[in-house]
Each structure stands twice: as structure tokens, then as C-alpha cells.
């Protein structure tokens, strides 16, 4: 079955640590995205990538980093510079900008 | 002004009721529009795209008014399983790899 997978489902981080969230898709989609969702707020774009080895900052990129070495993979690193990282992180992909598909998400909590 | 605005609700309706959600967007150049459904603590899932001519999928009808920059979703004969948050989503431009802009969502609770 084609789809998007994210891991882990839950992640706990101590202050000052970097953590990496995984996003993999086997839909053969070119474009991939990372969003963050906080209670009472809409999804906000962190980073996106339209093609392998290229990515752009979204609206709230500070404190985050990404890589796109393979078409199927778009990992997100939450660095210690991100002051309020506790949130629900969603990865998405699209082929033709007609349908975006989301992974099941990772809930990150800072201890 | 927010790029995409929705009434957060919650809308509490009895089973079988008809309910309508509205959404406004600020970018007049926006090209494509969607309604997504999000269940509690789950990822958003595409409910339907929204076209200028209006489109219907079973009990769900979506409308787009470009002149007023307004999108609507109508749910007829509400079911308990319709309880969720409905996200209005706008893609500002055409072409691949474009960014989606999300509303904060409207919460629907369908009750017995």
C-alpha cells in the first residue's frame, strides 16, 4: 500500500537536545512538507521541498533543519534553538498540487 | 487579517441536522481550495476539493465564491461519525510544490 509514514509516533525530548523526526513516502511524490500544529491554531509550514536536494523555509523555520537526499525521505530535525518545540508535527506530500496526503504525525513533548 | 478564517465553533447539532461551515480567504489570487477533515489527535484527510461550479459528494456540498473570497461546506443528514474538525485549506498558486494555507478549523459535534 502506498502512503506516508512518520516515526516515532510519540517523542520526548529534554531541553537542549536535538531530535530528528522521520518522514517516508512511497507515493513517488516530488514535493514534501513539514507542518506544525498547536492547539487552537492552524497548521503552520516549517519547511518544504519540491525536489531532491532542494528545500525552502516555510513560515516558521527558525530552530528547525531538514534534508532531502532521497525522493522518498524528508527528515526534520528540531534543534535546541527551537524555544517551544512541543507540538504535533505533520509531514505531507503531493505530486500535482491537487491532493496533499499527510502522514499520521509525531507528537513531540519537551520534558 | 488571517489568510484563511473560519468560525472555530464548536457546532453542536443533533443527528440528522443540516449544518453549514463558512470560510473566507484573503489572497484573491488563490487558485485551489479544499476541505479537510481532522479527527482528534489524527492527521488531516482530504474531504473534497472545491470548485467554482460547486461540487457534491453524497451528503457533502462545497461551494466557492471567488468574488466574495468565500468557501462553504454543507453537510446534510449529519451522522455521529461526522463529528470532527473541518479545515478550510487554500493553495495560493498553481503549479507543483506549492504551499497550503490552513484555517484553524471548525469543530463539529453531532449528538443523539
Amino acid at each position: 500500500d502506498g502512503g506516508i509514514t512518520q516515526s516515532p509516533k510519540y517523542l520526548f525530548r529534554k531541553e537542549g537536545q536535538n531530535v530528528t523526526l522521520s518522514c517516508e513516502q512511497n507515493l513517488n511524490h516530488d514535493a514534501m512538507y513539514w507542518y506544525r500544529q498547536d492547539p487552537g491554531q492552524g497548521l503552520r509550514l516549517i519547511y518544504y521541498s519540491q525536489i531532491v536536494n532542494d528545500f525552502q523555509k516555510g513560515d516558521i523555520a527558525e530552530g528547525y533543519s531538514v534534508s532531502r537526499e532521497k525522493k522518498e525521505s524528508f527528515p526534520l530535525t528540531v534543534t535546541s534553538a527551537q524555544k517551544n518545540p512541543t507540538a504535533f508535527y505533520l509531514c505531507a506530500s503531493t505530486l500535482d498540487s491537487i491532493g496533499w496526503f499527510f502522514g499520521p504525525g509525531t507528537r513531540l513533548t519537551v520534558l | 487579517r488571517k489568510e484563511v478564517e473560519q468560525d472555530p465553533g464548536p457546532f453542536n447539532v443533533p443527528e440528522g441536522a443540516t449544518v453549514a461551515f463558512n470560510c473566507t480567504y484573503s489572497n484573491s489570487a488563490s487558485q485551489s481550495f479544499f476541505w479537510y477533515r481532522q479527527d482528534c489527535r489524527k492527521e488531516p484527510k482530504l474531504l473534497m476539493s472545491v470548485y467554482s461550479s460547486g461540487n457534491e459528494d453524497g451528503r457533502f456540498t462545497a461551494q466557492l465564491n471567488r468574488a466574495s473570497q468565500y468557501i462553504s461546506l454543507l453537510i446534510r443528514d449529519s451522522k455521529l461519525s461526522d463529528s470532527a474538525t473541518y479545515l478550510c485549506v487554500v493553495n495560493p498558486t498553481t503549479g507543483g510544490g506549492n504551499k497550503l494555507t490552513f484555517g484553524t478549523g471548525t469543530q463539529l459535534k453531532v449528538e443523539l
Side-chain angles (χ1 to χ4, degrees):
Chain A
D1 287 339
I4 303 178
T5 58
Q6 289 186 243
S7 62
K9 187 173 181 179
Y10 299 98
L11 185 58
F12 298 91
R13 190 195 92 168
K14 293 181 180 179
E15 285 194 19
Q17 279 184 336
N18 292 353
V19 291
T20 297
L21 283 58
S22 168
C23 177
E24 304 277 333
Q25 54 98 0
N26 60 4
L27 300 165
N28 200 33
H29 287 175
D30 290 313
M32 297 185 73
Y33 304 78
W34 274 104
Y35 288 89
R36 167 183 173 142
Q37 187 174 36
D38 295 278
Q41 295 195 43
L43 277 68
R44 293 182 291 166
L45 183 64
I46 304 172
Y47 267 98
Y48 64 105
S49 167
Q50 299 184 36
I51 198 167
V52 174
N53 292 322
D54 186 49
F55 49 82
Q56 289 79 39
K57 292 183 179 180
D59 301 317
I60 55 166
E62 185 175 351
Y64 299 98
S65 66
V66 293
S67 63
R68 187 83 187 277
E69 296 177 1
K70 298 186 299 181
K71 188 175 186 177
E72 302 79 16
S73 178
F74 191 39
L76 173 74
T77 297
V78 185
T79 75
S80 57
Q82 170 47 238
K83 298 305 178 189
N84 187 23
T86 294
F88 187 36
Y89 290 86
L90 288 157
C91 179
S93 71
T94 187
L95 179 62
D96 53 9
S97 302
I98 300 300
W100 269 258
F101 296 88
F102 285 84
T106 293
R107 291 197 177 273
L108 174 63
T109 302
V110 174
L111 301 174
Chain B
R1 182 184 173 187
K2 289 182 181 178
E3 291 185 68
V4 179
E5 291 203 62
Q6 294 182 252
D7 182 342
F11 283 60
N12 298 314
V13 303
E15 203 173 15
T18 295
V19 61
F21 304 140
N22 301 320
C23 169
T24 58
Y25 61 95
S26 61
N27 185 347
S28 60
S30 296
Q31 295 294 326
S32 51
F33 310 88
F34 311 91
W35 283 101
Y36 275 74
R37 170 191 169 130
Q38 186 173 25
D39 292 290
C40 187
R41 302 179 72 82
K42 299 286 188 180
E43 74 273 25
K45 293 185 178 178
L46 179 64
L47 179 66
M48 56 199 308
S49 300
V50 188
Y51 305 112
S52 296
S53 55
N55 48 303
E56 186 174 314
D57 183 4
R59 298 182 293 109
F60 299 83
T61 300
Q63 294 277 357
L64 167 64
N65 183 321
R66 286 190 182 273
S68 302
Q69 294 178 212
Y70 170 98
I71 305 160
S72 66
L73 176 68
L74 183 76
I75 305 175
R76 291 180 298 277
D77 188 23
S78 300
K79 310 292 185 190
L80 293 174
S81 57
D82 293 335
S83 297
T85 296
Y86 291 84
L87 305 176
C88 176
V89 185
V90 174
N91 181 12
T93 58
T94 54
N98 286 285
K99 302 176 285 183
L100 296 178
T101 301
F102 288 79
T104 55
T106 298
Q107 189 178 10
L108 172 65
K109 295 181 180 179
V110 181
E111 303 164 333
L112 288 171

